[in-house]
Amino acid sequence: DSNAGEKRAAGEAAAGMVRDGMVLGLGTGSTVAWTIKKIGEMVEEGMEVLGVPTSYQAQELAIAAGIPLTSLDQDPVLDLAIDGADEIAKDLTAIKGGGAAHAREKVVAASARWFVIVADSSKYVDSLSHPVPVEVLPIAGRLASRRIEELGGSPQIRQAKMKDGPVITDNGNFVIDADFGRIEDPGGLAARLSEIPGVVEHGIFENVNELVVVIDGAVKTFRRE
Ligand code: DER
């Protein structure tokens, strides 16, 4: 489908931002998978980089691509983190977590000097309205659901497809998909969600520096003013 072509074009374009010697944050999902693959080809041609994966999926892809791995303990400050998104608005506020990896993704993104999102055109919107993934301690599932309802959201504990019962994140937690409809004040909602006891991390990302997105078949980049 056209999205696959756009995902590949955006993902590979972002790989062009990688320079020899960089320590990278490697994101999760099918769009940034193209970035990881492209970086692997650059490594094969002699480029020297290190990567911190944001999930088991990213780790497996990076290993298969031949990208040497490191950790935030060994390399606490990254040069560049590249990741996908479920939705990103024109002001570069994003919703992430479709892959249930947003807790580690946010830590890696916050550890990087420059944070880039790669997306196909379907993700690029005027204002955010995608359900917000919220990673919660299993014990907090009901409490967080109630608090999300009090905030005007409609919570659903994310059920697994290839496993009975709920999705379990790489950190051993549940994910609640909180549908708030159109989100007028992402910053305010982010603060409210962070205050809920048992919430490990929500998927509202406000620190994106640059977006690489395909629009009408062309790769465009937007930087946060
Ligand atoms: O889970 C995430 O945040 C991923 O980046 C995800 O939202 C994007 O996945 P996709 O590139 O496969 O659409």
Side-chain angles (χ1 to χ4, degrees):
D1 65 284
S2 76
N3 268 4
E6 291 187 356
K7 285 175 183 242
R8 177 169 189 169
E12 292 186 341
M17 303 166 75
V18 176
R19 294 288 174 275
D20 196 73
M22 279 190 172
V23 185
L24 304 166
L26 302 175
T28 298
S30 61
T31 308
V32 74
W34 288 109
T35 311
I36 292 173
K37 190 171 181 307
K38 189 74 183 170
I39 292 169
E41 291 165 14
M42 296 155 77
V43 166
E44 223 168 303
E45 286 154 24
M47 186 179 69
E48 292 190 6
V49 294
L50 291 173
V52 175
T54 54
S55 64
Y56 292 126
Q57 186 232 21
Q59 179 175 290
E60 286 306 308
L61 286 173
I63 290 169
I67 301 170
L69 300 182
T70 183
S71 69
L72 291 181
D73 299 295
Q74 294 156 282
D75 291 284
V77 179
L78 309 179
D79 299 296
L80 171 63
I82 307 174
D83 207 337
D86 300 333
E87 197 173 64
I88 183 156
K90 292 196 178 347
D91 68 356
L92 268 54
T93 304
I95 292 177
K96 287 173 58 48
H102 60 287
R104 294 192 188 186
E105 289 173 335
K106 195 178 277 188
V107 172
V108 168
S111 303
R113 291 194 182 90
W114 197 254
F115 177 37
V116 176
I117 291 283
V118 290
D120 63 85
S121 54
S122 72
K123 308 286 183 63
Y124 189 50
V125 296
D126 288 324
S127 63
L128 298 173
S129 61
H130 191 283
V132 181
V134 181
E135 177 162 342
V136 296
L137 298 178
I139 188 177
R142 300 297 196 260
L143 169 66
S145 296
R146 228 175 19 256
R147 293 290 176 86
I148 285 165
E149 286 171 337
E150 288 162 11
L151 290 172
S154 167
Q156 291 286 332
I157 292 185
R158 190 181 296 182
Q159 297 301 309
K161 290 195 169 51
M162 308 292 280
K163 164 194 175 291
D164 291 334
V167 164
I168 307 289
T169 70
D170 293 356
N171 313 306
N173 297 313
F174 289 174
V175 176
I176 294 174
D177 289 300
D179 188 349
F180 292 93
R182 185 159 307 290
I183 301 171
E184 304 303 340
D185 174 16
L189 179 58
R192 298 292 78 70
L193 291 171
S194 295
E195 289 162 356
I196 299 172
V199 164
V200 170
E201 191 54 82
H202 60 74
I204 298 173
F205 281 58
E206 301 176 270
N207 63 331
V208 178
N209 297 109
E210 185 165 7
L211 168 63
V212 178
V213 60
V214 175
I215 299 179
D216 299 329
V219 175
K220 299 241 183 304
T221 61
F222 298 97
R223 288 192 173 191
R224 178 184 292 279
E225 274 88 49

